[in-house]
Amino acid sequence: MARIDDLRKIATRLRIHSLRMTTAAGSGHPTTCLSAADLAACLFFGEMRWNPKDPHDPANDEFVLSKGHAAPLLWAVYAEAGVIPLQSLLDLRKITSVLEGHPTPRMPWVKAATGSLGQGLSVGAGMALAQRLDKSPARTFVLLGDGECAEGQVWEAAAAASYWKLRNLVAVVDVNRLGQSDPTMHQHDLQALRRKFAAFGWDAVVVDGHKIDRILAALAGAGKAGKPTAVLARTLKGKGVSFIADKNGWHGKPLKADELARALEELGCLPEVDAKRFIHKPRPFRKTKAVAAPDFPRTAYKEKTATRLAYGNALLSLAKADPAVVAIDGDVKNSTYADKFFEAFPARTFQSFIAEQNMVGVGIGLAAKGYVPFMATFAAFLTRAHDQVRMAAYSFANIKLCGSHVGVSIGEDGPSQMGLEDLAMFRAVPECVVLYPSDAVSAEAAVATAAAHKGMVYIRTTRPATPVLYAAGEVFPVGGSKVLGKRDGDQATIVAAGITVHEALKARAELEKTGVRVRVIDAYSVAPLDAATLGREIAETGGRAVVVEDHFAGGGLGEAVAAALAGKAALKHLCVRELPRSGKPDELLEMYGISASHIVRAVRELVAG
Amino acid sequence: MARIDDLRKIATRLRIHSLRMTTAAGSGHPTTCLSAADLAACLFFGEMRWNPKDPHDPANDEFVLSKGHAAPLLWAVYAEAGVIPLQSLLDLRKITSVLEGHPTPRMPWVKAATGSLGQGLSVGAGMALAQRLDKSPARTFVLLGDGECAEGQVWEAAAAASYWKLRNLVAVVDVNRLGQSDPTMHQHDLQALRRKFAAFGWDAVVVDGHKIDRILAALAGAGKAGKPTAVLARTLKGKGVSFIADKNGWHGKPLKADELARALEELGCLPEVDAKRFIHKPRPFRKTKAVAAPDFPRTAYKEKTATRLAYGNALLSLAKADPAVVAIDGDVKNSTYADKFFEAFPARTFQSFIAEQNMVGVGIGLAAKGYVPFMATFAAFLTRAHDQVRMAAYSFANIKLCGSHVGVSIGEDGPSQMGLEDLAMFRAVPECVVLYPSDAVSAEAAVATAAAHKGMVYIRTTRPATPVLYAAGEVFPVGGSKVLGKRDGDQATIVAAGITVHEALKARAELEKTGVRVRVIDAYSVAPLDAATLGREIAETGGRAVVVEDHFAGGGLGEAVAAALAGKAALKHLCVRELPRSGKPDELLEMYGISASHIVRAVRELVAG
C-alpha cells in the first residue's frame, strides 16, 4: 500500500528533522520525538482534516501536544506540511524564533502552551466542547505521553470528557515506557493503561505505535463507540536509532555531532515524499457568528449584597447579552452564584465537578476556540489550578476566573476554605488583571470589565453581604481606584479593597470623632494598581498611609502599594500574618488585625509620627 | 448480635451529636455527617486499633478525614471515645475551640488539616509508608466522599499506593450521591467507582454503608488481597432523618431549631451505650528511635557548581546523618539531583512519578509520623501543588520543598519550565522559611538549615552552575543575609539573591571602573527577610537600592524589600515583567532586564537621581 509506505517515509523525515534540530540547538528532547513520529505522521497526514493555510479555519481538526517536550516533532510536522520553511527548523529554541523549546501560541498553530505535563487533555476537552457548541463536524486530537498519565489532571479530564460524551475527542498516548529519570509506572503494560481509560468511560484500544496500518485503523475507529477514544500506542523512546532506542538516560539529551552522524546513517537519507499531498482537507464549515450586545443593563443595588451574589447576577446578565460567554463549575455554583447562569443556559455551562485543574484547562480550550469562559470557585481552591493558571498565561488565554470566599471574613468554615494567597498568585501573573470589588455595583462592573478585557482577568469576591457604596452608573476602569470622602487637611490615607473598604470607612468615622481626618481609597483594581492616584492622594495626606487587606502579607495589596510607592510614603500594612482559625467573621477580622479598630490604631500611630 | 446493635446505637449517637452541634453553631455540614455515621462507628469502634489516651502512640491505626466538612462527625467520635468532653461539642466552630469547621491539628488527634477535598488519600498513603518504615503493624484508614473522587489527586494517590503495595492503607468512600451543588458524577453507580479503583490496582469492594455487619465484614477483609483496599459504601446523605435524607440542597446547611426538634424525634433519644468499651486497643508497639548525627560534614566547593547539584549532594550527606530524612520524587530526580539520595537509600526514597500533588500530600503524611520529607521538582511544577502546600501550612507540617530550574536563567526550555512565581507562592505562606542560595556553599547550608528548622522550608535552586562565593565554614542562619564588598562611601546597595547575586557582582565591578561604588547584599533568606541589615546598609548608601531578581514582579524579593523598607529608601526593582520565551540564559537575563548591564544602568540612574 502506497499510502502506508508514504506515511512511513514522512515519519522518517520527522525523525531526521527532530534529531537535527535538537543537535543544532544543543538541547531538547529528541528521543520522545522519535517514539511519537509514526503517530504524528498518521495523525497529521492520515487521519486529521485540516487546512494548512489557516490555523483558525473553524473546519480544522484541532491538535494539542500535551507532551510538550516533543515540540521539535510538532515543528517538523508543520515544516513538512509547508506551514513553515524547512530551514526554519534549525532555529529551534533561538531567542529570535517562535519554535520554542516547548510549544507556545507565539507559533500560531499552537492554541495552548504545553510543557507542564498532564494538562493537554483538559484543553482538548475544552476544544471539543467548543466544536460541539459550534455544531462543527471537526474533532480534537491530543497526543499524550505515558509518563504524564500519572498526573491526576489527566483523570479529571478523562472523567469529564466521558461525562460530557465527547465522542469528538481522541487521545493518543505515546507509551514509550521511559520517563525522565525512571521507567514509567506501568512501562509497557498497556493493558494497565487501557483498564484505566476504560474504567473512566473511554473507548480504549491498544496498538503497536510503530505500525502505520494499525495506527490508522485505530484512528479510523475513533468515536465509533459514541465515547471519547484513547489510542494507547506501544512505542520505543528513540525508535529508529539503535543506540538510543528504549534506553534509559536519554531524556532531554540531544545527540552530539558524531552521534547524530551515526543516527542519520541508521535512518538513511531523507526519504523523498511530499507530505503536503497527504493532508486531508476539511469539509468546509462556517461557524455561525454569534452577535453580542455591547453591554448588559446594570442593577440599581440598594440593600446590603454579597459581591459574590452580584457576580452571579451579573454573569447571568452578561450571558444573556453575549452568546460567546460560557461557564465551567467545580461543584460550588450555589456558593459562587454561577448557578444562575447554569440554570438559564444549560447548553453553555459545564459541570466539571470537584476538579479545579480540569476546570481551568477546559476553559483554556474553550477560549482558544473563541469562547469567553468564566470559572468560579472558592479562591482557596483556585490554588489547586495554579499551574493551569500559569500555563493559561503562556497560552495568552482569554479566560475569566472568579475566586469567592476570600479571607478570614468567611468565618466559621475555617482556614482551609479561606482564600488568603490568591492575590499573590494572580498578581504574579504578568498582564493578569485583578479586580477586587467592595460592593455589588463594583462587582457587577467587574464582570462587564472582565468580559470586555482581552486576556486573563481575576475577580475576587467576598462571602458576607456588604453595604452598597456606589451608584448604578459608576464606572470602574481597569487600573483605576476610587477616592472616598476626600477633604483638604486629611492627615492620612487608608488604602483598602473588598471587605476592608467597609472597615476603613468605619475607622474613618471613628477617627473623625477625635478630629483625625483621613481619606479612604478603594483600590478595586489590584492589578494593574492605580499608582498615580495612590501616589498623589498619599502625598496630599503627608505621605502617611495604612494599607489594610484580608489576605496574607506576601504578594497582596500591601506589597503592591509598597512597591508602587517605594520610598515615597510611610506605610503601615495591616493583613493576616498568621495561620487563622474558625470563628465569626467579625471576631476574625479583629483577631487578625484588619478590623476598623486596628485601622484606627494604625492611623493614630502614623499621625502621631 | 450485641456488637452490631451497639455499633448501630453509637452511630445514632454520632448522628444526634452532629445535628445538635451544627444547629448550635449555626453553620456546618450535618447531612454529610449522617451519611458517614455508620462507617465512622464501624471504623473507630469496630475495626481500628487505637489508644484513645495517646494520639502519638506509634501502635495506633491512623485516621484521615479526607471529607473534612464532616468534621462534626469526627469530633463526635472523639467525644464518644472519651477523648474530649461531650459538652465541648457545642463549642463547634467557636473562636475559642479547637473543634474547627474543618479539621486542623489544633485538635491533637488530627494529623493533617483537611477541607480542601481530594487530599486525604495522599496523606494517608504517606502515613502508611511511615508505618511500613517503622515496621509497625498499624494501618491507616482514610474516609473520603464520592464527590471528592473527581479530584485528580485521588487517582494520583491511588496509583502510587498501588505501586507502593500499601496493603496497610484502607480507603472508605462514603458514596452519598450528592455533591454540594449537584448530584455527583456517578451518583449511586457504585460499580463505576469500583471499576476505577480496581483499574488503579486496588482491592475494591461495594457495600451498603448503612448495614453495620456488611461494613464490618468489608473492613475485616481489608488488605487480604495484598493491595490497598477501597470500601465503597452506598449511603444516603442525611440518612436517618426523613426530610433531609437523599435530598439535594442540604449541603452545608444546619437544621433550624424546629427542624432539629423534628429530626431528633425521628432519631429517638440518645441510645444508651458506652462506646469507649468497643475501642480495640492496639498491640503494643515501640518504634525504634532513629539516632541522628547533629550535622553532616560540609564540602569545600571550589569550582563553579549549580546550586541544584549542591542541594543533591547535601541531601545525600544529610540522609547519611539522619535516618528520619526521606524523599519523594516527581520523576525529575536527575534534574533536581535528589537522585543521589535515591540511589544510596532506596528504602527511604519514594518515586511518586509525575504527580506533584500526591508528592506533597505523601510528604505531609510522612511528616505527621515523624519523618522529615524532602521533595524536589522544578519550581514551576510546585505550583501544581499550591493547594497542598497551603494545606501543609494548616497542618503545621514539617516538610521541606526544593524548587529547581528557577527563572529565565534556565534558558532554552522556555517559559513553561521556568519557576517565576514560586517566591510569591511560598512567601504568602505564613511562617514558611524561604532560602535562595547563590552558590554551592550556601545551597549546602540551606539543606542543613531546612533539616534543623521545625516547619515548612522552601529552597530555591538554580539550573546553571554559578561561581563559589563562600568558604565552606560560612553559616547562613534563617533570617540572615550577607553583605558583600562593603566600603565606606558606597553610593548604593544592590539587593540580589541566587543567580542575580552574580550579576550584581559583575555590575559592581563594572561600576567601579567609572568610580561608582556599591555594595551587594545576598538576601539568601528571602523569608524571613533580614530587614534590619537591609535597612542599615541601604541607609548607609544614601537610601539608594536596586533589587534584582529572576522572578516575576508580584510577591518576590523586590516587593519583600519594598514592604520591609516602606518609606525608608528609594528602590528600583529589576525583575521579569513580561511572559518570557526560549533563548540562551544570558540572552534572557539581558532581554528581561535583570543582567549586570541593567543593574549598572539602574544604579547610575539612582545615583544621578
Side-chain angles (χ1 to χ4, degrees):
Chain A
M1 279 168 71
R3 187 173 164 231
I4 287 170
D5 200 45
D6 289 324
L7 287 173
R8 199 173 290 126
K9 284 182 187 168
I10 294 171
T12 299
R13 290 176 66 94
L14 297 176
R15 286 193 169 91
I16 292 171
H17 295 326
S18 300
L19 290 171
R20 281 183 172 158
M21 292 162 77
T22 47
T23 295
S27 65
H29 304 77
T31 54
T32 199
C33 296
L34 268 52
S35 64
D38 300 302
L39 299 171
C42 290
L43 280 164
F44 284 90
F45 305 102
E47 178 64 22
M48 286 167 55
R49 293 174 174 275
W50 59 296
N51 168 9
K53 294 205 165 46
D54 182 6
H56 304 295
D57 189 330
N60 283 348
D61 284 343
E62 294 287 356
F63 178 81
V64 181
L65 184 68
S66 189
K67 47 176 282 178
H69 52 300
L73 175 67
L74 186 63
W75 308 146
V77 161
Y78 288 121
E80 285 295 311
V83 166
I84 54 173
L86 260 181
Q87 64 271 26
S88 73
L89 294 180
L90 295 178
D91 295 331
L92 175 73
R93 293 175 163 239
K94 285 187 186 163
I95 201 162
T96 48
S97 170
V98 297
L99 307 184
E100 297 197 69
H102 293 75
T104 76
R106 289 195 177 96
M107 200 289 192
W109 280 88
V110 175
K111 301 293 174 64
T114 52
S116 182
L117 290 169
Q119 301 198 17
L121 198 55
S122 298
V123 174
M127 289 177 158
L129 278 180
Q131 289 166 330
R132 182 196 284 175
L133 282 173
D134 289 349
K135 301 193 171 30
S136 161
R139 297 184 293 167
T140 298
F141 294 82
V142 181
L143 182 60
L144 297 94
D146 52 339
E148 66 177 318
C149 290
E151 284 285 7
Q153 189 185 352
V154 171
W155 304 104
E156 295 180 3
S162 157
Y163 180 77
W164 293 331
K165 300 190 172 56
L166 292 176
R167 62 184 296 175
N168 60 338
L169 178 64
V170 183
V172 178
V173 187
D174 174 24
V175 186
N176 67 22
R177 192 185 73 83
L178 295 172
Q180 174 180 319
S181 73
D182 267 333
T184 59
M185 185 179 283
H186 295 307
Q187 300 202 38
H188 270 148
D189 180 0
L190 281 96
Q191 290 303 327
L193 211 50
R194 194 196 57 71
R195 283 191 296 272
K196 290 184 179 181
F197 273 100
F200 275 70
W202 286 52
D203 184 27
V205 293
V206 171
V207 296
D208 182 328
H210 298 308
K211 293 239 164 75
I212 301 287
D213 54 339
R214 306 292 170 83
I215 302 168
L216 288 177
L219 291 174
K224 295 268 157 69
K227 300 173 176 183
T229 302
V231 176
L232 312 170
R234 186 188 194 282
T235 63
L236 299 183
K237 203 162 174 172
K239 167 74 178 181
V241 179
S242 61
F243 57 93
I244 54 175
D246 203 31
K247 296 229 179 358
N248 213 352
W250 275 97
H251 184 94
K253 265 189 208 162
L255 301 191
K256 298 197 190 81
D258 59 318
E259 292 165 341
L260 176 64
R262 279 167 56 206
L264 294 181
E265 219 164 279
E266 288 192 23
L267 287 165
C269 52
L270 213 52
E272 289 288 334
V273 59
D274 183 3
K276 290 188 284 297
R277 287 199 307 119
F278 296 91
I279 299 171
H280 296 280
K281 297 285 177 304
R283 281 168 294 241
F285 168 75
R286 286 288 113 211
K287 184 179 165 180
T288 317
K289 255 278 192 280
V291 182
D295 203 348
F296 59 83
R298 298 306 155 86
T299 316
Y301 283 104
K302 296 279 179 248
E303 303 297 313
K304 262 186 151 187
T305 307
T307 52
R308 62 182 168 127
L309 176 57
Y311 167 87
N313 291 335
L315 184 59
L316 176 59
S317 302
L318 172 69
K320 286 177 184 166
D322 186 352
V325 170
V326 295
I328 314 152
D329 180 40
D331 191 20
V332 287
K333 60 183 162 34
N334 54 341
S335 288
T336 62
Y337 290 116
D339 55 356
K340 295 163 193 295
F341 182 11
F342 276 73
E343 279 154 30
F345 296 98
R348 281 155 56 195
T349 52
F350 308 101
Q351 181 56 275
S352 164
F353 298 98
I354 309 173
E356 297 78 10
Q357 301 186 97
N358 184 57
M359 179 178 77
V360 175
V362 168
I364 297 171
L366 281 157
K369 297 288 291 176
Y371 287 91
V372 183
F374 277 71
M375 293 157 274
T377 183
F378 287 28
F381 305 147
L382 279 177
T383 57
R384 198 68 158 254
H386 190 168
D387 197 15
Q388 289 72 24
V389 164
R390 195 176 70 85
M391 295 305 291
Y394 294 126
S395 301
F396 311 108
N398 186 30
I399 62 170
K400 319 299 168 184
L401 294 153
C402 171
S404 69
H405 293 69
V406 302
V408 298
S409 70
I410 71 158
E412 293 89 342
D413 269 348
S416 64
Q417 318 293 301
M418 295 172 178
L420 283 160
E421 52 289 288
D422 53 318
L423 291 180
M425 178 171 137
F426 286 102
R427 282 192 59 252
V429 179
E431 289 160 48
C432 179
V433 169
V434 179
L435 302 174
Y436 185 9
S438 58
D439 79 341
V441 173
S442 48
E444 186 174 62
V447 171
T449 304
H453 179 87
K454 187 93 183 160
M456 199 191 301
V457 177
Y458 174 61
I459 301 174
R460 187 176 213 234
T461 64
T462 300
R463 182 175 172 279
T466 46
V468 176
L469 297 176
Y470 301 103
E474 189 81 27
V475 292
F476 296 83
V478 168
S481 66
K482 299 288 173 190
V483 186
L484 304 175
K486 154 182 185 172
R487 290 174 308 185
D488 289 346
D490 284 342
Q491 295 160 274
T493 301
I494 306 170
V495 183
I499 191 98
T500 60
V501 171
H502 303 279
E503 294 301 312
L505 291 171
K506 281 186 236 167
R508 181 172 182 272
E510 186 64 27
L511 287 160
E512 180 90 25
K513 291 181 197 162
T514 58
V516 179
R517 287 183 164 195
V518 297
R519 62 190 58 169
V520 173
I521 298 185
D522 174 1
Y524 69 84
S525 179
V526 174
L529 191 70
D530 188 357
T533 301
L534 287 165
R536 188 187 62 233
E537 301 293 323
I538 294 171
E540 281 182 21
T541 59
R544 286 179 291 269
V546 173
V547 189
V548 54
E549 61 180 323
D550 197 356
H551 187 276
F552 285 137
L557 179 65
E559 295 196 347
V561 174
L565 301 181
K568 294 184 205 116
L571 294 179
K572 271 192 188 283
H573 182 198
L574 307 182
C575 59
V576 181
R577 295 192 182 272
E578 36 180 323
L579 296 162
R581 59 189 302 150
S582 292
K584 293 191 193 310
D586 285 345
E587 290 174 341
L588 294 170
L589 292 175
E590 189 61 33
M591 178 178 250
Y592 297 106
I594 58 172
S595 64
S597 71
H598 288 275
I599 301 171
V600 165
R601 201 173 313 149
V603 168
R604 289 215 170 105
E605 285 170 15
L606 264 187
V607 170
Chain B
M1 278 168 72
R3 188 173 164 231
I4 287 171
D5 200 45
D6 289 324
L7 287 173
R8 200 173 289 126
K9 286 182 186 169
I10 294 172
T12 299
R13 291 176 66 95
L14 297 176
R15 287 192 168 92
I16 293 172
H17 294 326
S18 300
L19 290 172
R20 283 183 171 157
M21 293 162 76
T22 47
T23 294
S27 64
H29 304 76
T31 54
T32 199
C33 297
L34 267 53
S35 64
D38 301 301
L39 299 171
C42 291
L43 281 164
F44 283 90
F45 305 103
E47 178 65 23
M48 285 168 55
R49 295 176 173 273
W50 60 294
N51 169 8
K53 294 205 166 46
D54 182 5
H56 303 294
D57 188 329
N60 284 347
D61 283 344
E62 295 286 356
F63 178 80
V64 181
L65 183 67
S66 189
K67 46 176 283 179
H69 51 301
L73 175 67
L74 186 64
W75 308 145
V77 161
Y78 288 121
E80 285 296 311
V83 166
I84 54 173
L86 259 181
Q87 64 271 27
S88 72
L89 294 181
L90 295 179
D91 295 331
L92 175 72
R93 294 175 161 239
K94 286 188 185 162
I95 201 162
T96 49
S97 170
V98 298
L99 308 184
E100 298 197 68
H102 292 76
T104 76
R106 290 195 176 96
M107 200 287 192
W109 281 89
V110 175
K111 301 294 172 63
T114 52
S116 182
L117 290 169
Q119 301 199 16
L121 198 55
S122 297
V123 174
M127 288 176 158
L129 277 180
Q131 288 165 329
R132 181 195 285 173
L133 282 173
D134 289 349
K135 301 192 171 35
S136 161
R139 296 184 295 168
T140 297
F141 294 82
V142 182
L143 182 60
L144 298 94
D146 52 339
E148 65 178 316
C149 290
E151 284 285 9
Q153 189 185 352
V154 171
W155 304 104
E156 295 180 3
S162 158
Y163 181 77
W164 293 330
K165 300 188 172 58
L166 291 176
R167 62 184 296 174
N168 61 337
L169 179 64
V170 183
V172 178
V173 186
D174 174 22
V175 186
N176 67 21
R177 194 185 73 81
L178 295 172
Q180 174 180 319
S181 73
D182 267 333
T184 59
M185 183 178 286
H186 296 307
Q187 301 202 38
H188 270 149
D189 179 2
L190 281 96
Q191 290 303 327
L193 212 50
R194 194 197 55 72
R195 283 193 295 272
K196 289 184 179 181
F197 273 99
F200 275 71
W202 285 53
D203 183 26
V205 293
V206 171
V207 297
D208 182 328
H210 299 308
K211 292 239 164 76
I212 301 286
D213 53 340
R214 305 292 170 81
I215 302 168
L216 289 176
L219 291 174
K224 296 267 158 68
K227 300 173 177 183
T229 301
V231 175
L232 311 170
R234 186 188 194 282
T235 63
L236 299 183
K237 203 161 173 173
K239 167 75 178 180
V241 178
S242 61
F243 57 95
I244 54 174
D246 203 32
K247 296 230 179 356
N248 212 352
W250 276 97
H251 183 93
K253 265 191 210 161
L255 301 191
K256 299 199 189 79
D258 59 318
E259 292 165 342
L260 177 64
R262 280 166 58 204
L264 294 180
E265 220 165 274
E266 287 191 23
L267 286 165
C269 52
L270 213 52
E272 289 287 336
V273 60
D274 183 4
K276 292 188 283 296
R277 287 199 306 120
F278 296 91
I279 298 171
H280 296 282
K281 297 286 176 305
R283 283 167 293 240
F285 168 77
R286 287 289 111 213
K287 183 178 165 180
T288 316
K289 256 277 192 280
V291 182
D295 203 348
F296 59 83
R298 299 305 155 89
T299 315
Y301 283 103
K302 297 277 179 252
E303 304 296 313
K304 261 186 150 188
T305 307
T307 53
R308 63 182 168 127
L309 176 56
Y311 167 87
N313 292 335
L315 184 58
L316 176 59
S317 302
L318 172 69
K320 286 178 184 164
D322 185 352
V325 170
V326 295
I328 314 152
D329 180 40
D331 191 22
V332 287
K333 60 184 162 32
N334 54 341
S335 288
T336 63
Y337 290 116
D339 57 355
K340 296 164 191 296
F341 182 11
F342 276 73
E343 278 154 29
F345 296 98
R348 281 156 55 197
T349 52
F350 308 101
Q351 181 57 272
S352 162
F353 298 99
I354 308 174
E356 297 77 9
Q357 301 186 97
N358 185 57
M359 178 178 78
V360 174
V362 168
I364 295 171
L366 281 157
K369 297 288 293 175
Y371 288 90
V372 183
F374 278 71
M375 292 157 276
T377 183
F378 286 29
F381 305 147
L382 279 177
T383 57
R384 198 67 158 255
H386 190 170
D387 197 15
Q388 290 72 24
V389 164
R390 195 176 70 85
M391 294 304 291
Y394 294 126
S395 301
F396 312 108
N398 186 30
I399 62 170
K400 319 299 168 185
L401 294 153
C402 172
S404 69
H405 294 69
V406 301
V408 298
S409 69
I410 71 159
E412 293 89 343
D413 269 348
S416 64
Q417 318 293 301
M418 296 171 177
L420 283 160
E421 53 288 288
D422 54 316
L423 291 179
M425 177 170 137
F426 285 102
R427 283 191 59 251
V429 179
E431 290 160 45
C432 179
V433 170
V434 178
L435 303 174
Y436 185 8
S438 58
D439 79 341
V441 173
S442 48
E444 185 174 62
V447 171
T449 304
H453 180 86
K454 186 93 184 160
M456 199 191 302
V457 178
Y458 173 60
I459 301 173
R460 187 177 214 235
T461 64
T462 301
R463 184 177 171 277
T466 45
V468 176
L469 297 176
Y470 300 103
E474 189 81 26
V475 292
F476 296 84
V478 169
S481 66
K482 298 290 173 189
V483 185
L484 304 176
K486 156 184 182 170
R487 289 175 308 184
D488 290 344
D490 284 341
Q491 295 159 274
T493 301
I494 306 169
V495 183
I499 191 100
T500 60
V501 170
H502 303 279
E503 295 300 311
L505 291 171
K506 280 186 235 166
R508 182 173 181 269
E510 187 64 28
L511 286 160
E512 180 90 25
K513 292 182 195 160
T514 58
V516 179
R517 287 184 165 195
V518 297
R519 63 191 58 169
V520 172
I521 299 185
D522 174 2
Y524 68 84
S525 178
V526 174
L529 191 71
D530 188 358
T533 300
L534 288 165
R536 189 187 62 234
E537 300 295 324
I538 294 171
E540 282 182 20
T541 59
R544 285 179 292 268
V546 173
V547 189
V548 54
E549 61 181 323
D550 197 356
H551 187 274
F552 285 137
L557 178 64
E559 295 197 347
V561 174
L565 301 181
K568 296 185 202 115
L571 293 180
K572 270 191 189 283
H573 183 198
L574 307 182
C575 59
V576 181
R577 295 193 183 270
E578 38 181 321
L579 296 163
R581 59 189 303 150
S582 292
K584 292 192 194 310
D586 284 345
E587 289 174 341
L588 294 170
L589 292 176
E590 189 62 31
M591 177 178 252
Y592 296 106
I594 59 172
S595 64
S597 72
H598 288 273
I599 301 171
V600 165
R601 201 172 314 148
V603 169
R604 289 214 170 106
E605 284 169 16
L606 265 187
V607 168

